Each structure stands twice: as C-alpha cells, then as structure tokens.
Amino acid sequence: GRRYEPGALNINGILGMRAGIELIEEMGINAISHQLLQLKKRLHGRLAPLGFEFLGPSPDSPSASGITTVWHPQLKLETIQQGLATQQISVSLRHTRDGRSHIRFSPHFYNTLAEMDRVADVIETLVANQ
C-alpha cells in the first residue's frame, strides 16, 4: 500500500523532534520543572505589586506550570500587549466570554530569570504611562 501514498517523510521534522527529545532527556524533567516554576515565581513577584491578578494555580501549587495568565482590574491589557510586542516580547492576549482581557505568558526552560525581569520592567514602564 505504501507505493500509493504521495509525498515523503518529514525528515526535518523527525530530526528536529529527536533533537528536542534529546535536549529534554539531557536537562531532565525535574530540572525543567524547577526552572519553569522559578520563572513563574519571578513573574508573580514582579507583577503582583503592580495590581495584576493571576488565573490558575499559584507557583507553590503542586499543579502549577510555567504558563502564567494575568489580568488587571484597571488597565487596558491590549495596550500592554502592544507595548510588549514593540519590545519583541511575545505574549498572548486572551479574552473571556464576558470580554475581560488577559495576558498569557508561556516561558519555557530555556528562558532566564533576567528575561522575566525584562518583561516585568517593560510592563512597569507601560503601567506608569497608562
């Protein structure tokens, strides 16, 4: 039956997936988990004093992940998201069914605490200018 299948194997995708799996194995799941939670804690610690509120588990929760979603009762998050984009910081702007805006951060283990500080610094500036 294979002679009737069009196309070719995605060799680049297969090799890329292999390299990704090898990197995860090299780093170790526990080290990756620890790094993700450290990044989440840094974002929480820097954004909470600015009045941001968080959705999902806290960084100390056993079900926490690196994904951090925030909202703010007084700020226009579309403006914050646009300001982050101008600084080459990628976040996802989300909306609930009732129209409330949220910003979703999705750092991964290759991100650093310094990068989380940069994100927070940019947000602090944007908040001060709103």
Side-chain angles (χ1 to χ4, degrees):
R2 283 196 177 183
R3 67 181 173 199
Y4 299 113
E5 293 181 16
L9 292 175
N10 179 3
I11 298 300
N12 289 338
I14 292 168
L15 294 175
M17 182 174 65
R18 179 180 178 184
I21 291 170
E22 288 173 352
L23 177 60
I24 289 170
E25 287 176 339
E26 179 184 325
M27 296 292 299
I29 297 294
N30 289 336
I32 291 169
S33 176
H34 177 75
Q35 174 68 2
L36 291 174
L37 295 179
Q38 293 305 308
L39 298 173
K40 184 180 190 87
K41 284 179 185 178
R42 183 62 62 98
L43 277 176
H44 265 251
R46 294 287 308 272
L47 298 182
L50 300 175
F52 285 91
E53 298 184 25
F54 302 87
L55 297 180
S58 71
D60 298 321
S61 169
S63 60
S65 71
I67 294 171
T68 303
T69 304
V70 301
W71 71 282
H72 198 287
Q74 300 168 341
L75 297 176
K76 186 171 173 126
L77 295 186
E78 291 80 1
T79 305
I80 301 291
Q81 184 269 332
Q82 291 168 359
L84 289 167
T86 64
Q87 296 296 314
Q88 309 302 312
I89 299 171
S90 296
V91 297
S92 179
L93 182 65
R94 305 285 176 99
H95 297 89
T96 57
R97 289 183 184 180
D98 64 358
R100 186 169 60 182
S101 300
H102 297 78
I103 292 179
R104 181 179 186 258
F105 302 91
S106 302
H108 214 309
F109 69 91
Y110 45 76
N111 291 115
T112 65
L113 293 173
E115 289 172 323
M116 297 304 102
D117 286 336
R118 179 174 175 264
V119 168
D121 290 343
V122 170
I123 290 173
E124 282 179 0
T125 301
L126 294 167
V127 167
N129 292 329
Q130 259 198 34

